[in-house]
Amino acid sequence: MDNQTKVTGVILAGGLARRMGNQDKGWVDFKGQPLVSYALNAMIKVADQTIINANRNLADYQKLGFPVVSDQSDNFDGPWAGIVAAMTLAKPGLLLVMPCDSPFFKASHLQKLLAARAENDADVAVAYDGKRLHPVFLALTTSLSHSLQIYLQSGQRKLETWLEQHNNVKADFSAEPDIFININSLAELNRLEKPAGIDNR
């Protein structure tokens, strides 16, 4: 990657979180901190600028001191809508994406996404755990903004289908698949809060 290439990070916190009782997952407390703080702590170590994509509690997110952008519609269209919205604020270069509910994904993992994209001169690097893709963990060129917007406007939502249309590479995290554990329900939150859960050091 060219040292002049700007990396814009986006934290996806715009979902409805139906399995969490429609709570705003970014503000769900995990081990004494809101979930969004873990994502921000990872992203700010890697990105030149960081954006939060949120559709609720905007004033609270703005108090964190980062630009906040909402989806371009009120339909809660999923992670792609958040990525498209972030593209409107991103500097030309790369967009680095992660969700707000994966507290075990660290700065080093984000660096690995960027490295995989650069080493393969790919349009997109997507995280892979050895069994399946995790397409909300991405490093992609901002030049794909128009393609992504057209894809969304066509009514399609399946992330993998769009990825297949571009030069993509898998960033292999098969040695540590647990980093993709995300908190989707109160039961998962309670299980991970217990000492027997994953060490978050």
Side-chain angles (χ1 to χ4, degrees), residues 5-49:
T5 301
K6 292 294 183 186
V7 176
T8 299
V10 59
I11 309 296
L12 299 174
L16 278 172
R18 291 182 180 89
R19 284 186 286 167
M20 289 288 287
N22 290 342
Q23 292 186 63
D24 187 339
K25 274 206 281 191
W27 293 108
V28 170
D29 188 83
F30 177 64
K31 297 191 175 184
Q33 295 183 60
L35 278 173
V36 70
S37 68
Y38 294 92
L40 285 170
N41 186 49
M43 189 64 79
I44 62 176
K45 294 173 181 172
V46 179
D48 296 294
Q49 71 166 148

Side-chain angles (χ1 to χ4, degrees), residues 69-186:
V69 63
S70 297
D71 295 355
Q72 294 172 337
S73 80
D74 297 326
N75 299 330
F76 289 88
D77 285 329
W80 275 151
I83 294 170
V84 166
M87 288 276 202
T88 65
L89 291 185
K91 293 180 172 66
L94 298 173
L95 195 71
L96 187 58
V97 183
M98 72 173 290
C100 70
D101 61 352
S102 298
F104 308 113
F105 204 84
K106 307 297 187 188
S108 59
H109 304 127
L110 292 168
Q111 290 278 18
K112 187 170 180 175
L113 276 173
L114 290 172
R117 192 214 63 83
E119 288 162 8
N120 294 274
D121 196 24
D123 295 324
V124 189
V126 57
Y128 177 67
D129 69 4
K131 294 182 179 178
R132 65 187 184 95
L133 296 177
H134 292 267
V136 289
F137 297 88
L138 295 171
L140 67 161
T141 62
T142 57
S143 60
L144 295 178
S145 175
H146 185 61
S147 164
L148 190 48
Q149 198 139 21
I150 290 172
Y151 184 76
L152 266 183
Q153 289 169 352
S154 74
Q156 300 188 74
R157 296 291 179 269
K158 192 169 173 60
L159 309 178
E160 291 87 342
T161 304
W162 182 81
L163 287 170
E164 289 165 5
Q165 298 172 8
H166 299 281
N167 174 19
N168 73 81
V169 63
K170 296 174 183 173
D172 185 3
F173 293 95
S174 56
E176 43 184 344
D178 285 349
I179 62 174
F180 297 105
I181 289 175
N182 62 343
I183 297 173
N184 280 320
S185 67
L186 292 173

